[in-house]
Every structure is written in C-alpha cells, then in structure tokens.
C-alpha cells in the first residue's frame, strides 16, 4: 500500500483501539456493589430498595442504548460517544459523593446509578463503530478484542471491597474433609469388623449391616429435621460442634476393652506354615464351609479384646446422629461464609475435598485395621475428630456468615 493507504490504516486502527478503551471504561462501573454502598451511605435502605439499586444501572442503559444508537445513525458517532463518556464521568463523581447530603442519601445513590447506566449505553455505538471500521476478515478479531476489554473492565472495576474470608473457606474445607473421611471409614470398616468381632459369615455381615444402615438412614431423616430446628435456635456453629462431639463419642465407644477376645479362625501348624484346617465334613460338602472369626493372619486378633455387639450398635447410633448433623451444617455454614458472590468454584473445591476424603478414608482404614487392629484405627480416628473440634473451636469467630461479618442486611 502507498503512504496514504498506510496512514488511513493506522488512523482507522487507532480509532478502533480508542473504542476498546471506551468499552473498558463502560464496563468498569457496572459491578460496583450498589447494595453495599447503599447500606454504608443510608442504613434505612431495605431489601426492596436494594433491588432497585441493582436494577437502576441496567434500566439506565436500556433507555440510553436506543437513543445513542439513533443519534449515531444521524450524526457523527463521536458526538454520542463523547456525550456518553462525559455523562459516565459525571455520574460516577455523583455516585462517589452521594453520601454528602444530610438526607435522602439512598435516592442520590439510586439516581447516580441510573446515570452511570445511562452513560454506559454507548456500548451499542461502540460495537457499531467497530463493525463499520473493520473488514470482514478483521471483524472477528476486533470483536473478540472488544469482548476481552469488556471482561477486563468487569474484573478490574471497583467491585465490592469486602472479600470472602479465605481462611474461613480453608477451615471449612478441612472440616468437611474430616466429616466425609469419617463416613468413608465408617462404611468401609463395618463389614470386616463385624465378621472379625462377631464371627458373622460374609452373607450375615452384609445382611445385618444392611439392616443397620437402613435404620441409620431413617435416623438421619429425623436428625435433619432436628438440625433445622436446632440451627435456628442455637446457630450453625454450635450444631456443627455438637455433631463432631457426638461422632467423637461414637468412636470412643467403639474402642476395644475388657478381657474377651475375638474367635480366631481355626488354624494348625503343618510343614512349618500356618494353614487353615477344615473338617472332613466340610470338604465333603463341596467346600461350601466358610470359616468365621478373626483371621489368624491378623496377629492383633490374639491380644486385642473383642468389640461387643452392644458397643457396635451404640457406636452406629451415635455416628448416625453426628454425621448427618455435621454434613448439613458444613454445607450450610460454607455457603453462608461465601455470601452473595458466585459460589461455583468454591463449591467445586468443597466437593473435591469431600471426594478426596472418600478416596483416602477406605485406603487408610483398611491398611491400619488389617495391620494394627481396631484399637489403633479408631484411636487415630478419634484423634482426627478431636483435631477438627479444636480447629472449629479456635476458629469459631471466623466461621460466620458473610452478612454478619460485613454487617450487611441482605445477601
């Protein structure tokens, strides 16, 4: 291209880049927190008024967009663009100093938000200008850059200065991890524990534990109803703490004690190796005989007392109360800590922590139980629950709802 064409090209793209910047400026003010500002400026703002505060920006933009579009069709585009930028600037200054009047501050905020939205009505003009200033080949890239500038304005705009307490988020994830870890341990250990301690066959263990789990399911329904009432009366944190305390008691009850030892699967010493011995009658019945009791390979069976059936049932009942209480309170408290901000990513982290717990729990308990026995396995679980109780107690003041932490009326 000759010099004239090259100059036109540079001038055209210079103006397009100005449009990028204009789009950025129009987007910067959109995500100012009107609800927060109105509460700080005028405590008399109620929930319905806050709805109008949020809607005022969009209402102003809705009115201005067709007007600026019509203006740009009949006059040079720079006129509506310059006018809208001045309106936006003046409206943001108005918005910044809306706290100065001694009365009716919330109405000044409302008007300023509407004018900020009115000034942002130039978005249609900006897009139409870029569409007219680019060739078909250039247009896709230019529009993509335009959207990127708009997104950058959303990110860098003066959003709510009040942020989520990341420490509280981390603590909540740790507590939820503990809750799900406990449940994974509980459902994993039930069958092998009952077979070893009570000499149940595999079929009996599956049947009886299935009945127990079904009863715990009904128990959980009642707990959920009770938790709802308890949280309304006492708060979420006390109920969560009580749930952990009940779980702790459940595993304390499950610790072996006394001088009654589990039945060991019959074994004999042959050729210097331990082998299982079954009767001739058992061999004659097509090997349908299933040895019961604690396997001799688990050497702890010889010196660790057996767990009584009453202990096992009592522990199931306690854990059946504590687990659902902790589960529902963990989710509830976590969502309240996050507050009105988008919760998708944070909820994803919470779900990931729960999945990690349900992955590690079965591996942990199966190895520790097999090698060291129930006393070590349940003692470590008790230590873990106790650590969660200490963590919850020490961070009690941090685990509060977003609205309570920032003294907001609504979320």
């Amino acid at each position: 291209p000759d010099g004239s064409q090259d100059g036109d090209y540079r001038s055209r793209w210079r103006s397009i880049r100005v449009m990028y910047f204009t789009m950025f400026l129009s987007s910067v003010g959109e995500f100012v927190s009107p609800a927060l500002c109105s509460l700080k400026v005028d405590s008399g703002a109620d929930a319905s008024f806050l709805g109008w505060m949020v809607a005022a920006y969009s209402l102003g933009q809705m009115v201005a967009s067709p007007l600026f579009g019509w203006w740009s069709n009949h006059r040079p585009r720079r006129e509506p663009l310059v006018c809208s930028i001045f309106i936006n600037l003046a409206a943001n200054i108005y918005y910044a100093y809306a706290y100065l009047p001694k009365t009716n501050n919330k109405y000044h905020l409302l008007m300023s938000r509407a004018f900020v939205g009115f000034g942002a009505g130039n978005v249609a003009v900006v897009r139409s200008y870029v569409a007219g200033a680019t060739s078909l080949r250039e247009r896709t890239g230019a529009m993509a850059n335009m959207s990127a500038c708009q997104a950058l304005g959303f990110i860098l705009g003066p959003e709510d200065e009040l942020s989520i307490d990341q420490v509280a988020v981390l603590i909540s994830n740790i507590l939820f991890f503990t809750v799900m870890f406990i449940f994974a341990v509980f459902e994993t250990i039930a069958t092998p524990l009952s077979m070893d301690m009570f000499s149940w066959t595999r079929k009996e263990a599956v049947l009886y534990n299935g009945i127990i789990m079904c009863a715990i399911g009904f128990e959980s329904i009642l707990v959920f109803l009770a938790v709802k009432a308890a949280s309304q009366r006492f708060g979420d944190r006390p109920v969560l703490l009580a749930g952990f305390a009940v779980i702790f008691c459940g595993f304390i009850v499950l610790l072996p004690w006394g001088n009654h030892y589990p039945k060991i699967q019959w074994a004999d010493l042959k050729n210097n190796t331990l082998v299982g011995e079954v009767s001739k009658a058992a061999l004659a019945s097509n090997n349908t005989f299933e040895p019961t009791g604690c396997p001799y390979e688990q050497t702890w069976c010889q010196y660790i007392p057996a767990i009584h059936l009453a202990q096992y049932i009592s522990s199931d009942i306690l854990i059946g109360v504590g687990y659902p209480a902790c589960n529902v309170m963990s989710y509830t408290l976590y969502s309240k800590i996050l507050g009105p901000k988008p919760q998708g990513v944070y909820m994803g982290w919470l779900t990931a922590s729960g999945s990690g717990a349900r992955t590690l729990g079965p591996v942990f308990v199966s190895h520790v139980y097999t090698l060291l026995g129930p006393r070590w396995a349940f003692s470590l679980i008790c230590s873990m629950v106790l650590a969660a109780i200490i963590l919850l107690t020490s961070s009690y003041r941090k685990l509060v709802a977003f609205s309570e932490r920032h003294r907001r009326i609504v979320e």
Side-chain angles (χ1 to χ4, degrees), residues 36 86 90 104 151 155 163 283 288 302 333 355:
L36 172 64
F86 273 111
N104 297 322
I155 295 170
S163 59
L283 292 173
T288 57
Q302 302 172 31
L333 188 59
S355 299

Side-chain angles (χ1 to χ4, degrees), residues 24 56 70 77 116 124 130 281 316 324 329 345 367 385:
F24 170 80
W70 177 86
R77 287 192 180 95
V116 170
V130 173
D316 288 344
M329 284 298 101
V345 174
H367 280 75
V385 178

Side-chain angles (χ1 to χ4, degrees), residues 161-178:
E161 291 176 0
L162 304 180
S163 59
I164 294 173
D165 189 339
Q166 299 298 332
V167 176
V169 168
L170 177 61
I171 293 171
S172 298
N173 275 275
I174 294 173
L175 294 176
F176 185 69
F177 177 91
T178 306

Side-chain angles (χ1 to χ4, degrees), residues 26-61:
S26 297
S27 303
V28 162
E30 181 169 350
F31 284 100
V32 177
S33 177
L36 172 64
C37 292
S38 60
L39 289 174
K40 283 181 171 290
V41 171
D42 192 336
S43 59
D46 57 14
S48 61
F49 185 81
L50 297 184
W52 281 106
M53 279 292 298
V54 175
Y57 180 95
S58 299
L59 183 62
Q61 191 176 43

Side-chain angles (χ1 to χ4, degrees), residues 93-160:
I93 294 173
Y94 182 21
Y95 187 52
Y97 291 97
Y99 69 94
L100 290 178
K102 294 184 178 180
T103 59
N104 297 322
N105 301 94
K106 62 182 183 180
Y107 296 110
H108 289 288
L109 280 174
L110 183 65
M111 292 298 297
S112 63
R113 280 294 293 176
F115 281 123
V116 170
F118 192 92
N122 58 15
V123 171
V125 181
V126 171
R127 292 191 186 279
S128 66
Y129 178 86
V130 173
T134 54
S135 65
L136 289 175
R137 231 164 83 181
E138 298 169 332
R139 195 163 302 160
T140 301
M143 289 298 181
N145 291 337
M146 182 86 64
S147 298
C149 290
Q150 186 178 27
L152 187 63
F154 292 160
I155 295 170
L156 299 181
E159 193 181 354
D160 190 342

